Amino acid sequence: MKVGIIGSGGREHALCVSLKKSEKISKIYCIPGNAGTNLIAENIDLNLNDFEIIKNFIVKNNIELVIIGPEKPLVEGLADYLENENINVFGPNKIASQLEGSKTFTKKLCEKYNIPTAKFGIFHNPSNGIDFIKKSKFPIVIKADGLAAGKGVYICENEDQSIQAINEIFGGKFGEAKKILIEEFLKGEEMSFFVISDGKNYKSFGTAQDHKRVFEGDKGKNTGGMGAYSPSRMENKELDKKILEKIINPTLKGLKELKTEFKGFLYAGLMVINNEPYLIEYNVRMGDPECQTILPRLKTDFGKIILACINKKLETINIEWFDQKSLCIVLCSKGYPEKYENNIEIKNLDEMNLDKNEFIFHAGTKNIDKKIYSNGGRVLNFVVKSESFKKNRVRAIELINKLSWNYGFFRKDIGFKVID
Ligand code: AMP
Ligand code: GLY
């Protein structure tokens, strides 16, 4: 079967590598892909905002299945558009994608179905928000409602910071803002929890711990993710049961009552407090870099799992995992998540001899005349799998040093909670 993957990040390269091993998949197109996907798939440079051009390419090339990696095309309804043309899509429709596209949609769902989450208020103008802040305790969390590439969340320690956050969001820093959320600050440990669903049934799809802050010791600005490990150290049967019963099941029931369903990966960003889960946010896709650590642990043929979802037969598949632990360090362009330079050549990638438990997933990279150049803030993902997180980290750092790309930086402390 021919498959098309939409996206160009580390997540999409990891999806591509797992699908490539599948006995069900004969050819992969990546739209638009990166210099890593270019090694195993055919990259097609199409504008992701133009659904018709994407559809025409898929039809012309007899692509039988499309997997949508990132949130933006999902929230904008690419899955609905392609399905209307009788194209098989793995990824949720526009209504279900509101779980990520609108924080107020998710909060209202939480309220209706008693899903544990931070207490919150929704405010439609700056002065109401500021009045509320004046009566609040700190820290407090202020969020833009729509998609903001992981950046529209402020943790405020005092009134001045809160007022600045409210003014920035309503001032349009993350696009036009009609409302904001102000939330209680939850103190606990975060966990990324994944399920895969065919619209009828679902199965757990692993856990991971992301590292969102740019600097070591979880300091500095939020980023898309500087590294991750899988499984999360908090994974246990009792917590798993609580997450499914208190969070995932009522969410899927809520979607059903809206006369829709969820097909694809659902990613619950959780705060765990005393072994009790609270929902911080939903994403309607795999996490990046969580995907890069979870997929190498998958034992079952990934293509078979996705096809079972398309055929609403997920219940017939037993998803198996390797016991090993996996850890990912992201090599970023100096300056990220703020200003950084693109188009800097990355040499030595050809000379990196990786064994079967080591991976370099490309993110912001591109090819020009057979050479590889940087093309984004997060550039390469170094992933190592073994019986020990510590060994993984040592080896990932060794690989990054061997590459010796002087225009990059990375966190050396990924996994600090599970490594002494
Ligand atoms: P989000 O984009 O909603 O995942 O938020 C980004 C990050 O902000 C999360 O990963 C948390 O670290 C933090 N965060 C968001 N909401 C809260 C909250 N209510 N309490 C504590 N931390 C939060
Ligand atoms: N790693 C966080 C995210 O994918 O949103």
Side-chain angles (χ1 to χ4, degrees), residues 232-272:
S232 155
R233 70 167 175 173
M234 287 179 294
E235 209 182 278
N236 69 65
K237 281 219 166 77
E238 192 194 336
L239 179 63
D240 205 70
K241 191 161 170 269
K242 286 182 193 164
I243 295 168
L244 299 181
E245 284 175 1
K246 295 185 175 184
I247 298 180
I248 305 295
N249 291 343
T251 300
L252 296 177
K253 180 167 169 239
L255 291 179
K256 216 167 252 165
E257 286 177 7
L258 287 174
K259 307 247 169 318
T260 193
E261 60 175 28
F262 194 97
K263 181 175 52 184
F265 287 116
L266 180 60
Y267 159 177
L270 305 173
M271 190 68 85
V272 180

Short mmCIF file of all heavy atoms in Angstrom, two decimals, residues 232-272:
data_model
loop_
_atom_site.label_atom_id
_atom_site.label_comp_id
_atom_site.label_asym_id
_atom_site.label_seq_id
_atom_site.Cartn_x
_atom_site.Cartn_y
_atom_site.Cartn_z
N SER A 232 7.22 6.87 31.02
CA SER A 232 7.25 7.81 32.15
C SER A 232 7.54 7.02 33.42
O SER A 232 7.10 5.87 33.54
CB SER A 232 5.89 8.50 32.26
OG SER A 232 5.67 8.93 33.59
N ARG A 233 8.23 7.63 34.37
CA ARG A 233 8.53 6.89 35.61
C ARG A 233 7.27 6.67 36.44
O ARG A 233 7.27 5.89 37.38
CB ARG A 233 9.59 7.62 36.43
CG ARG A 233 9.11 8.90 37.06
CD ARG A 233 10.11 9.39 38.11
NE ARG A 233 9.73 10.68 38.64
CZ ARG A 233 10.33 11.28 39.64
NH1 ARG A 233 11.37 10.71 40.21
NH2 ARG A 233 9.94 12.45 40.07
N MET A 234 6.19 7.39 36.10
CA MET A 234 4.97 7.27 36.90
C MET A 234 4.03 6.20 36.39
O MET A 234 2.99 5.96 37.00
CB MET A 234 4.26 8.61 36.93
CG MET A 234 4.97 9.60 37.80
SD MET A 234 4.15 11.16 37.81
CE MET A 234 4.34 11.68 36.13
N GLU A 235 4.38 5.57 35.25
CA GLU A 235 3.47 4.57 34.70
C GLU A 235 3.21 3.47 35.72
O GLU A 235 4.15 2.84 36.20
CB GLU A 235 4.12 3.98 33.42
CG GLU A 235 3.11 3.52 32.41
CD GLU A 235 3.75 2.90 31.18
OE1 GLU A 235 4.16 3.64 30.28
OE2 GLU A 235 3.84 1.66 31.15
N ASN A 236 1.96 3.26 36.07
CA ASN A 236 1.60 2.10 36.89
C ASN A 236 0.14 1.76 36.64
O ASN A 236 -0.64 2.59 36.16
CB ASN A 236 1.89 2.35 38.38
CG ASN A 236 0.96 3.39 38.99
OD1 ASN A 236 -0.25 3.18 39.08
ND2 ASN A 236 1.51 4.53 39.40
N LYS A 237 -0.23 0.52 36.95
CA LYS A 237 -1.57 -0.01 36.59
C LYS A 237 -2.70 0.81 37.21
O LYS A 237 -3.71 1.09 36.56
CB LYS A 237 -1.69 -1.47 37.04
CG LYS A 237 -0.98 -2.44 36.10
CD LYS A 237 -1.81 -3.72 35.94
CE LYS A 237 -1.32 -4.55 34.77
NZ LYS A 237 -0.08 -5.31 35.11
N GLU A 238 -2.51 1.18 38.47
CA GLU A 238 -3.58 1.89 39.17
C GLU A 238 -3.82 3.27 38.54
O GLU A 238 -4.95 3.67 38.29
CB GLU A 238 -3.15 2.03 40.64
CG GLU A 238 -4.24 2.47 41.56
CD GLU A 238 -3.66 2.92 42.91
OE1 GLU A 238 -2.55 2.47 43.27
OE2 GLU A 238 -4.33 3.72 43.58
N LEU A 239 -2.71 3.97 38.25
CA LEU A 239 -2.83 5.30 37.63
C LEU A 239 -3.42 5.17 36.23
O LEU A 239 -4.30 5.94 35.83
CB LEU A 239 -1.45 5.97 37.57
CG LEU A 239 -1.41 7.37 36.94
CD1 LEU A 239 -2.25 8.36 37.73
CD2 LEU A 239 0.02 7.88 36.82
N ASP A 240 -2.96 4.16 35.50
CA ASP A 240 -3.44 3.90 34.15
C ASP A 240 -4.98 3.76 34.15
O ASP A 240 -5.68 4.36 33.34
CB ASP A 240 -2.81 2.57 33.71
CG ASP A 240 -2.72 2.46 32.22
OD1 ASP A 240 -1.90 3.19 31.64
OD2 ASP A 240 -3.48 1.67 31.63
N LYS A 241 -5.47 2.99 35.09
CA LYS A 241 -6.92 2.75 35.19
C LYS A 241 -7.65 4.07 35.48
O LYS A 241 -8.69 4.36 34.87
CB LYS A 241 -7.14 1.73 36.32
CG LYS A 241 -8.53 1.18 36.40
CD LYS A 241 -8.54 -0.13 37.21
CE LYS A 241 -9.97 -0.56 37.50
NZ LYS A 241 -10.51 -0.06 38.76
N LYS A 242 -7.09 4.85 36.39
CA LYS A 242 -7.73 6.14 36.72
C LYS A 242 -7.77 7.05 35.50
O LYS A 242 -8.75 7.74 35.25
CB LYS A 242 -6.95 6.84 37.84
CG LYS A 242 -7.14 6.23 39.20
CD LYS A 242 -6.35 7.04 40.22
CE LYS A 242 -6.24 6.32 41.55
NZ LYS A 242 -5.21 6.90 42.40
N ILE A 243 -6.66 7.08 34.74
CA ILE A 243 -6.60 7.97 33.56
C ILE A 243 -7.68 7.56 32.55
O ILE A 243 -8.41 8.39 32.02
CB ILE A 243 -5.20 7.93 32.92
CG1 ILE A 243 -4.15 8.50 33.89
CG2 ILE A 243 -5.18 8.71 31.60
CD1 ILE A 243 -2.71 8.22 33.47
N LEU A 244 -7.78 6.26 32.32
CA LEU A 244 -8.77 5.79 31.33
C LEU A 244 -10.19 6.08 31.84
O LEU A 244 -11.03 6.58 31.09
CB LEU A 244 -8.58 4.30 31.04
CG LEU A 244 -7.21 3.92 30.45
CD1 LEU A 244 -7.14 2.43 30.16
CD2 LEU A 244 -6.89 4.70 29.17
N GLU A 245 -10.45 5.77 33.10
CA GLU A 245 -11.82 5.91 33.60
C GLU A 245 -12.24 7.35 33.82
O GLU A 245 -13.36 7.74 33.54
CB GLU A 245 -11.98 5.13 34.91
CG GLU A 245 -12.09 3.64 34.64
CD GLU A 245 -12.13 2.80 35.91
OE1 GLU A 245 -12.10 3.36 37.02
OE2 GLU A 245 -12.18 1.55 35.76
N LYS A 246 -11.30 8.17 34.35
CA LYS A 246 -11.71 9.53 34.72
C LYS A 246 -11.51 10.53 33.59
O LYS A 246 -12.10 11.61 33.62
CB LYS A 246 -10.89 10.00 35.94
CG LYS A 246 -11.15 9.19 37.18
CD LYS A 246 -10.40 9.80 38.34
CE LYS A 246 -10.74 9.07 39.63
NZ LYS A 246 -10.12 9.68 40.80
N ILE A 247 -10.61 10.21 32.64
CA ILE A 247 -10.28 11.23 31.63
C ILE A 247 -10.61 10.75 30.21
O ILE A 247 -11.40 11.39 29.51
CB ILE A 247 -8.79 11.63 31.78
CG1 ILE A 247 -8.59 12.27 33.17
CG2 ILE A 247 -8.37 12.59 30.66
CD1 ILE A 247 -7.21 12.72 33.51
N ILE A 248 -10.01 9.65 29.78
CA ILE A 248 -10.17 9.25 28.37
C ILE A 248 -11.62 8.81 28.07
O ILE A 248 -12.23 9.30 27.11
CB ILE A 248 -9.18 8.11 28.00
CG1 ILE A 248 -7.73 8.50 28.33
CG2 ILE A 248 -9.35 7.70 26.53
CD1 ILE A 248 -7.14 9.62 27.54
N ASN A 249 -12.18 7.91 28.88
CA ASN A 249 -13.54 7.41 28.57
C ASN A 249 -14.58 8.53 28.53
O ASN A 249 -15.35 8.61 27.57
CB ASN A 249 -13.97 6.32 29.57
CG ASN A 249 -13.15 5.05 29.37
OD1 ASN A 249 -12.52 4.87 28.33
ND2 ASN A 249 -13.15 4.18 30.36
N PRO A 250 -14.63 9.42 29.54
CA PRO A 250 -15.64 10.48 29.45
C PRO A 250 -15.41 11.43 28.26
O PRO A 250 -16.37 11.94 27.69
CB PRO A 250 -15.50 11.24 30.77
CG PRO A 250 -14.37 10.64 31.51
CD PRO A 250 -13.95 9.38 30.85
N THR A 251 -14.14 11.61 27.87
CA THR A 251 -13.88 12.48 26.72
C THR A 251 -14.46 11.86 25.45
O THR A 251 -15.14 12.53 24.66
CB THR A 251 -12.35 12.67 26.54
OG1 THR A 251 -11.84 13.27 27.73
CG2 THR A 251 -12.04 13.56 25.35
N LEU A 252 -14.20 10.57 25.26
CA LEU A 252 -14.70 9.91 24.04
C LEU A 252 -16.23 9.84 24.06
O LEU A 252 -16.89 9.99 23.03
CB LEU A 252 -14.06 8.52 23.89
CG LEU A 252 -12.53 8.57 23.71
CD1 LEU A 252 -11.95 7.17 23.64
CD2 LEU A 252 -12.13 9.37 22.46
N LYS A 253 -16.79 9.67 25.26
CA LYS A 253 -18.26 9.68 25.38
C LYS A 253 -18.80 11.07 25.00
O LYS A 253 -19.80 11.19 24.29
CB LYS A 253 -18.62 9.35 26.83
CG LYS A 253 -20.08 9.31 27.10
CD LYS A 253 -20.39 8.68 28.46
CE LYS A 253 -21.85 8.90 28.81
NZ LYS A 253 -22.03 9.63 30.06
N GLY A 254 -18.10 12.10 25.47
CA GLY A 254 -18.51 13.47 25.15
C GLY A 254 -18.52 13.71 23.64
O GLY A 254 -19.44 14.32 23.10
N LEU A 255 -17.51 13.19 22.96
CA LEU A 255 -17.46 13.36 21.50
C LEU A 255 -18.62 12.61 20.85
O LEU A 255 -19.24 13.09 19.91
CB LEU A 255 -16.12 12.88 20.94
CG LEU A 255 -14.90 13.72 21.29
CD1 LEU A 255 -13.64 13.11 20.68
CD2 LEU A 255 -15.04 15.17 20.83
N LYS A 256 -18.89 11.42 21.36
CA LYS A 256 -20.01 10.62 20.80
C LYS A 256 -21.31 11.40 20.95
O LYS A 256 -22.14 11.42 20.04
CB LYS A 256 -20.09 9.29 21.56
CG LYS A 256 -20.49 8.15 20.65
CD LYS A 256 -20.28 6.80 21.28
CE LYS A 256 -19.11 6.06 20.67
NZ LYS A 256 -18.69 4.93 21.49
N GLU A 257 -21.49 12.04 22.09
CA GLU A 257 -22.74 12.79 22.30
C GLU A 257 -22.80 14.03 21.39
O GLU A 257 -23.86 14.57 21.16
CB GLU A 257 -22.90 13.15 23.77
CG GLU A 257 -23.30 11.88 24.53
CD GLU A 257 -23.44 12.05 26.03
OE1 GLU A 257 -23.35 13.19 26.53
OE2 GLU A 257 -23.63 11.02 26.71
N LEU A 258 -21.65 14.44 20.90
CA LEU A 258 -21.63 15.53 19.90
C LEU A 258 -21.80 14.96 18.49
O LEU A 258 -21.57 15.62 17.50
CB LEU A 258 -20.31 16.31 19.97
CG LEU A 258 -20.11 17.22 21.17
CD1 LEU A 258 -18.70 17.81 21.16
CD2 LEU A 258 -21.13 18.35 21.13
N LYS A 259 -22.10 13.68 18.43
CA LYS A 259 -22.33 12.96 17.18
C LYS A 259 -21.06 12.87 16.33
O LYS A 259 -21.08 12.97 15.11
CB LYS A 259 -23.45 13.61 16.34
CG LYS A 259 -24.75 13.82 17.09
CD LYS A 259 -25.84 12.92 16.53
CE LYS A 259 -27.10 12.86 17.34
NZ LYS A 259 -27.00 12.78 18.79
N THR A 260 -19.93 12.73 17.02
CA THR A 260 -18.71 12.53 16.28
C THR A 260 -17.87 11.45 16.96
O THR A 260 -18.33 10.81 17.90
CB THR A 260 -17.95 13.86 16.09
OG1 THR A 260 -16.94 13.67 15.11
CG2 THR A 260 -17.33 14.36 17.37
N GLU A 261 -16.66 11.22 16.44
CA GLU A 261 -15.81 10.16 16.97
C GLU A 261 -14.36 10.63 16.89
O GLU A 261 -14.07 11.63 16.25
CB GLU A 261 -15.98 8.89 16.13
CG GLU A 261 -15.58 9.13 14.67
CD GLU A 261 -15.62 7.88 13.80
OE1 GLU A 261 -16.42 6.98 14.10
OE2 GLU A 261 -14.85 7.83 12.84
N PHE A 262 -13.47 9.88 17.53
CA PHE A 262 -12.06 10.22 17.47
C PHE A 262 -11.28 9.10 16.79
O PHE A 262 -11.23 7.98 17.29
CB PHE A 262 -11.49 10.46 18.88
CG PHE A 262 -10.16 11.14 18.83
CD1 PHE A 262 -10.05 12.51 18.98
CD2 PHE A 262 -9.00 10.41 18.54
CE1 PHE A 262 -8.81 13.15 18.88
CE2 PHE A 262 -7.77 11.03 18.43
CZ PHE A 262 -7.68 12.41 18.61
N LYS A 263 -10.66 9.44 15.66
CA LYS A 263 -9.79 8.46 14.98
C LYS A 263 -8.40 9.06 14.89
O LYS A 263 -8.23 10.14 14.34
CB LYS A 263 -10.35 8.18 13.58
CG LYS A 263 -9.50 7.16 12.82
CD LYS A 263 -10.12 6.79 11.48
CE LYS A 263 -10.42 8.03 10.69
NZ LYS A 263 -11.09 7.85 9.44
N GLY A 264 -7.43 8.37 15.46
CA GLY A 264 -6.07 8.89 15.42
C GLY A 264 -5.40 8.72 16.77
O GLY A 264 -5.84 7.90 17.59
N PHE A 265 -4.34 9.50 17.00
CA PHE A 265 -3.68 9.50 18.30
C PHE A 265 -4.28 10.59 19.16
O PHE A 265 -4.39 11.73 18.72
CB PHE A 265 -2.19 9.82 18.15
CG PHE A 265 -1.38 8.70 17.55
CD1 PHE A 265 -0.74 8.86 16.33
CD2 PHE A 265 -1.23 7.49 18.23
CE1 PHE A 265 0.03 7.85 15.79
CE2 PHE A 265 -0.46 6.48 17.68
CZ PHE A 265 0.17 6.65 16.46
N LEU A 266 -4.61 10.25 20.39
CA LEU A 266 -5.03 11.26 21.35
C LEU A 266 -3.96 11.31 22.45
O LEU A 266 -3.57 10.28 22.99
CB LEU A 266 -6.40 10.90 21.94
CG LEU A 266 -6.96 11.89 22.97
CD1 LEU A 266 -7.14 13.28 22.37
CD2 LEU A 266 -8.30 11.38 23.52
N TYR A 267 -3.49 12.52 22.71
CA TYR A 267 -2.38 12.74 23.64
C TYR A 267 -2.91 13.57 24.80
O TYR A 267 -3.31 14.71 24.61
CB TYR A 267 -1.28 13.44 22.84
CG TYR A 267 -0.21 14.25 23.53
CD1 TYR A 267 0.79 14.81 22.75
CD2 TYR A 267 -0.16 14.48 24.90
CE1 TYR A 267 1.81 15.57 23.31
CE2 TYR A 267 0.86 15.23 25.46
CZ TYR A 267 1.83 15.78 24.66
OH TYR A 267 2.82 16.54 25.21
N ALA A 268 -2.96 12.96 25.98
CA ALA A 268 -3.40 13.69 27.16
C ALA A 268 -2.16 14.20 27.89
O ALA A 268 -1.30 13.41 28.29
CB ALA A 268 -4.22 12.78 28.07
N GLY A 269 -2.05 15.51 28.03
CA GLY A 269 -0.99 16.12 28.84
C GLY A 269 -1.52 16.18 30.26
O GLY A 269 -2.50 16.88 30.53
N LEU A 270 -0.91 15.43 31.16
CA LEU A 270 -1.45 15.28 32.51
C LEU A 270 -0.53 15.88 33.56
O LEU A 270 0.69 15.92 33.38
CB LEU A 270 -1.61 13.79 32.84
CG LEU A 270 -2.44 12.96 31.88
CD1 LEU A 270 -2.35 11.47 32.26
CD2 LEU A 270 -3.89 13.42 31.87
N MET A 271 -1.14 16.31 34.66
CA MET A 271 -0.36 16.59 35.87
C MET A 271 -0.78 15.52 36.86
O MET A 271 -1.98 15.32 37.09
CB MET A 271 -0.72 17.99 36.38
CG MET A 271 0.19 18.48 37.46
SD MET A 271 1.87 18.82 36.85
CE MET A 271 1.72 20.48 36.23
N VAL A 272 0.21 14.83 37.41
CA VAL A 272 -0.10 13.77 38.36
C VAL A 272 0.24 14.28 39.76
O VAL A 272 1.37 14.71 40.02
CB VAL A 272 0.66 12.47 38.04
CG1 VAL A 272 0.34 11.38 39.04
CG2 VAL A 272 0.31 12.01 36.62
#
